[in-house]
Amino acid sequence: MRTDRISKDASKFRKPPNMDDYRSLYRDFSWDAAKSLLSLFPDGSYNIAREALDRHALGKNAEKIAICWLGIEGERRTITYRDLKHQADRFAGALQSLKMDIGDRVFLLLDRIPELYSAFFGALEAGCVVCPLFSAFGPDPIATRLELGEGALLVTTEDQYTSKIEKIRDRLPELKHILLVGENGPTNVKNTYDYHTQLQKQPELFETMPMLADDPALLHFTSGTTGKPKGALHAHHAVLAHTATGKYALDLHEDDIFWCTADPGWVTGISYGIIAPLSNGVTMIVDQADFEIERWYEIIQKEKVTVWYTSPTALRMMMKAGAAAARACDLSSLRLIFSVGEPLNPEAVVWGLEAFGLPIHDTWWQTETGAIMISNYASQEIRPGSMGLPFPGVNVRLIRRSGEKLEFIDKIGEEGEIAIQAGWPSMFRTYINSAEKYRGCFQNGWYFTGDLAKRDADGYFWFVGRSDDVIKSSGHLIGPFEVESAMMEHPAVAEAAVIGKPDEMAGQIVKAFLSLRKGFDASPVLKEEIYAFGRKRLGAVAPREIDFMDSLPKTRSGKIMRRLLKARELGLPEGDTSTLEASR
Ligand code: 6R9
């Protein structure tokens, strides 16, 4: 733990923070009272779409810009809350005309295009469950998720359809309909329709369905060490946590221009790339293009971004390019910068001061927690390298589990697993395909996160590492098993073990160790072929490094020892794998 601190001088706040006194809000906060931040249906029913869209579109914010969309080719489109609502309503109407029922799963496989946002809200309005997919996934991860999630309808683009979906559609008997966004218009493929033609047929108004707080709304796939991806199901109640964290953690004020750079294929891109900003009635930026330093600085400058939520990988890349590039632009609109997804180097926090005149505020949470659980707040001192303090209404402790026994760690600087007392609104409600794994995450009313941390005397949390083998690459969570399974489908591969190899920029990269079947030679040509095979099957989560081995190290019971491979990769003594995770 480092001791240097970045204190906040209240007289320099550009705006009084929504939470000026953390300790007293933490003490007095109740989720029940926080419901006053929402505009629930008169009978207390919920709908995420009502909070994030309807109440603005049908109220004083109707003409306010909800989304400022920046296209790859330099286009700029502004979408008001009212425009977004009309499009969402039409999408909801299209779902009904296709006989989609409440609870049916609507999957989105789209780049960051305006249709993504209309479809997202339209599906919620109609009471369907939305499941976003990362559009850079290859056909294998897409098929696995659609299959496990029993996707009934998919919205995608013509390009994605021909390059990925066409070949897997036979494997997906539950998938009834596909809506295609594209230039070509109506198709004559069965149950496949043109998105815009379908929407044009619908009335402009749709009454958002009142839902119970616990009714399912969002399905996010995430990965563990073993087995298939897990579908973490969230309820409409989650919007209470999105709204409250948007207000008190990200400090969103009505006139903010907010930019969350995460893709909606991952949880951050939904909770904070859509719901939290719109529920707080702000204008948000959506950039269709991928990360590029100059483009990003230009966006902040031109669009006058005030609050910016990004990732450690992006910040490290900017740091490498040097503070001068940032200082060459006028980024003075910025008042707060936040980060999430992987450990944020203390140097990056301090570098923020040099490049932007602002420190970076780290935040910690997971797909399963649905919203920010630990954060550095606008009004609070920052301790570079620390994830910050628990969000009000969230009871976070460090606990050691040994069998039935729970040992609460209160000693300062001692390591334990981050555990959260069950019951916060955005807590995942199940893993759809694995209720047993879900139960395994809880003990005595505590949710165990799989992350290890320490705490200092003032309650700040400091990340230590993961207790499992999942990989975090550029903030994206990748399950080694899913990658291994795909690699083993190559005819030359006998065994595969996949680890996260530490990487200065991406945090970790996916590295595969492969042993070959008899009759195959470990040649550079074969390696290239296997790389290409990985990219074709897996897309962006394919291995970036491959090593061939004669055989992979195994335990006596025959399990491949990923940790030993990782110890070797890091040059650690093979017997000592205890520091493996801490070294990420
Ligand atoms: C939101 C998101 C969750 C895992 C989490 C932890 C890692 C997230 C972090 C962090 C260190 C932070 N993680 N924030 N590690 N410092 N500030 O990323 O969700 O994709 O489910 O990943 O990411 O290991 O358990 P998800």
Side-chain angles (χ1 to χ4, degrees):
M1 291 184 209
R2 295 173 41 141
T3 49
D4 44 339
R5 296 167 181 197
I6 301 172
S7 58
K8 303 279 181 64
D9 178 351
S11 68
K12 294 218 173 99
F13 290 139
R14 214 74 77 71
K15 270 188 182 102
N18 290 325
M19 173 169 68
D20 54 0
D21 181 355
Y22 168 75
R23 305 269 164 200
S24 65
L25 189 72
Y26 191 87
R27 194 189 54 230
D28 300 337
F29 188 92
S30 88
W31 286 111
D32 207 35
K35 282 202 258 174
S36 64
L37 300 174
L38 302 180
S39 310
L40 299 175
F41 284 94
D43 67 351
S45 298
Y46 276 74
N47 195 310
I48 294 175
R50 179 178 170 96
E51 307 304 332
L53 185 56
D54 298 4
R55 60 168 162 168
H56 306 298
L58 307 173
K60 69 173 174 36
N61 282 336
E63 297 308 327
K64 181 169 179 174
I65 295 167
I67 298 177
C68 170
W69 180 81
L70 307 170
I72 290 179
E73 312 287 348
E75 315 92 297
R76 180 180 190 276
R77 259 172 69 185
T78 52
I79 303 165
T80 63
Y81 278 94
R82 177 176 289 152
D83 295 339
L84 184 58
K85 170 80 180 140
H86 285 333
Q87 289 305 312
D89 284 1
R90 289 198 149 120
F91 184 81
L95 292 182
Q96 280 199 338
S97 72
L98 291 169
K99 306 268 175 300
M100 295 287 288
D101 248 334
I102 289 183
D104 279 351
R105 309 241 170 87
V106 173
F107 277 60
L108 309 178
L109 176 66
L110 296 165
D111 304 332
R112 290 180 295 277
I113 53 175
E115 289 83 353
L116 167 61
Y117 302 84
S118 324
F120 176 79
F121 283 118
L124 292 172
E125 287 182 13
C128 293
V129 175
V130 191
C131 181
L133 293 172
F134 185 38
S135 61
F137 275 149
D140 276 19
I142 292 169
T144 307
R145 286 160 179 75
L146 274 164
E147 215 169 359
L148 291 171
E150 295 172 4
L153 184 141
L154 171 70
V155 187
T156 190
T157 57
E158 286 167 355
D159 287 352
Q160 292 270 353
Y161 182 79
T162 41
S163 61
K164 299 173 188 171
I165 302 298
E166 215 164 35
K167 31 183 113 109
I168 58 172
R169 196 165 181 180
D170 287 352
R171 281 169 58 183
L172 307 167
E174 306 288 334
L175 185 61
K176 297 193 195 79
H177 307 289
I178 298 184
L179 290 176
L180 290 182
V181 179
E183 307 278 295
N184 296 333
T187 85
N188 45 27
V189 181
K190 207 172 149 221
N191 300 329
T192 304
Y193 323 91
D194 177 56
Y195 178 95
H196 289 285
T197 316
Q198 283 296 314
L199 262 65
Q200 268 147 29
K201 288 194 230 157
Q202 307 303 325
E204 219 177 56
L205 289 175
F206 185 94
E207 292 272 336
T208 296
M209 299 266 188
M211 308 296 287
L212 299 176
D214 290 330
D215 280 339
L218 307 167
L219 178 62
H220 288 292
F221 278 94
T222 184
S223 301
T225 304
T226 55
K228 296 194 165 165
K230 300 172 285 185
L233 192 65
H234 287 275
H236 282 275
H237 200 197
V239 72
L240 181 53
H242 298 140
T243 310
T245 51
K247 180 167 176 134
Y248 296 120
L250 301 180
D251 193 45
L252 295 176
H253 289 63
E254 277 227 322
D255 56 350
D256 273 317
I257 309 285
F258 176 70
W259 186 21
C260 168
T261 59
D263 185 86
W266 304 91
V267 72
T268 306
I270 295 288
S271 295
Y272 297 99
I274 308 182
I275 304 171
L278 297 187
S279 177
N280 279 282
V282 310
T283 294
M284 67 177 198
I285 305 291
V286 171
D287 182 26
Q288 187 189 12
D290 288 332
F291 172 71
E292 200 198 305
I293 296 176
E294 274 167 32
R295 183 181 170 96
W296 279 26
Y297 287 155
E298 216 177 277
I299 289 175
I300 296 170
Q301 174 174 318
K302 272 201 191 143
E303 302 301 338
K304 302 198 169 24
V305 173
T306 57
V307 182
W308 183 32
Y309 199 10
T310 191
S311 71
T313 297
L315 290 162
R316 283 191 290 264
M317 287 164 95
M318 292 175 171
M319 218 168 131
K320 195 171 170 211
R327 288 205 302 257
C329 299
D330 176 6
L331 307 179
S332 59
S333 57
L334 282 173
R335 61 178 193 91
L336 284 164
I337 309 175
F338 294 91
S339 159
V340 70
E342 0 149 27
L344 179 65
N345 325 45
E347 299 75 24
V349 177
V350 178
W351 178 79
L353 285 171
E354 192 190 329
F356 310 109
L358 299 167
I360 318 292
H361 294 69
D362 194 12
T363 69
W364 177 95
W365 58 290
Q366 305 181 305
T367 302
E368 287 84 347
T369 71
I372 294 170
M373 297 282 108
I374 300 176
S375 182
N376 286 281
Y377 304 99
S379 58
Q380 292 296 302
E381 169 185 289
I382 292 182
R383 305 189 176 176
S386 159
M387 304 185 292
L389 297 158
F391 189 75
V394 179
N395 189 6
V396 186
R397 295 291 295 271
L398 298 177
I399 306 182
R400 207 171 290 139
R401 284 203 275 189
S402 42
E404 291 294 289
K405 235 183 84 214
L406 300 187
E407 187 193 339
F408 287 78
I409 315 272
D410 289 317
K411 208 164 142 213
I412 289 154
E414 203 175 314
E415 189 178 308
E417 184 172 351
I418 301 179
I420 307 169
Q421 195 164 29
W424 71 97
S426 59
M427 185 177 92
F428 69 133
R429 303 308 163 97
T430 192
Y431 287 131
I432 52 157
N433 43 328
S434 185
E436 208 175 303
K437 274 198 175 150
Y438 182 73
R439 279 193 297 275
C441 296
F442 293 85
Q443 204 171 319
N444 287 15
W446 291 86
Y447 162 64
F448 285 81
T449 65
D451 277 10
L452 305 172
K454 296 178 182 177
R455 239 170 57 165
D456 66 20
D458 299 310
Y460 280 73
F461 283 82
W462 298 72
F463 186 74
V464 172
R466 291 277 313 182
S467 62
D468 61 13
D469 287 340
V470 294
I471 300 163
K472 257 287 161 124
S473 186
S474 301
H476 299 154
L477 194 76
I478 300 169
F481 180 79
E482 189 170 23
V483 180
E484 289 160 1
S485 308
M487 299 318 286
M488 282 175 56
E489 284 186 29
H490 188 283
V493 175
E495 299 170 309
V498 165
I499 64 159
K501 176 181 170 179
D503 180 82
E504 221 186 308
M505 284 300 136
Q508 294 183 309
I509 57 161
V510 177
K511 171 154 190 173
F513 296 89
L514 308 175
S515 71
L516 297 176
R517 288 183 191 279
K518 274 210 184 77
F520 288 92
D521 265 345
S523 67
V525 177
L526 180 61
K527 197 184 265 192
E528 274 315 311
E529 192 193 304
I530 296 177
Y531 272 124
F533 177 84
R535 281 193 300 271
K536 196 165 150 228
R537 290 296 190 92
L538 295 161
V541 296
R544 293 244 308 267
E545 260 184 42
I546 292 176
D547 273 4
F548 289 135
M549 298 178 85
D550 290 339
S551 68
L552 301 183
K554 293 186 205 66
T555 60
R556 253 180 260 175
S557 60
K559 272 177 78 177
I560 294 175
M561 296 167 78
R562 292 193 192 107
R563 292 200 165 209
L564 182 60
L565 289 166
K566 193 162 173 181
R568 288 182 186 163
E569 188 67 42
L570 298 179
L572 291 171
E574 295 187 3
D576 174 18
T577 50
S578 57
T579 56
L580 271 187
E581 289 312 313
S583 60
R584 331 191 289 159

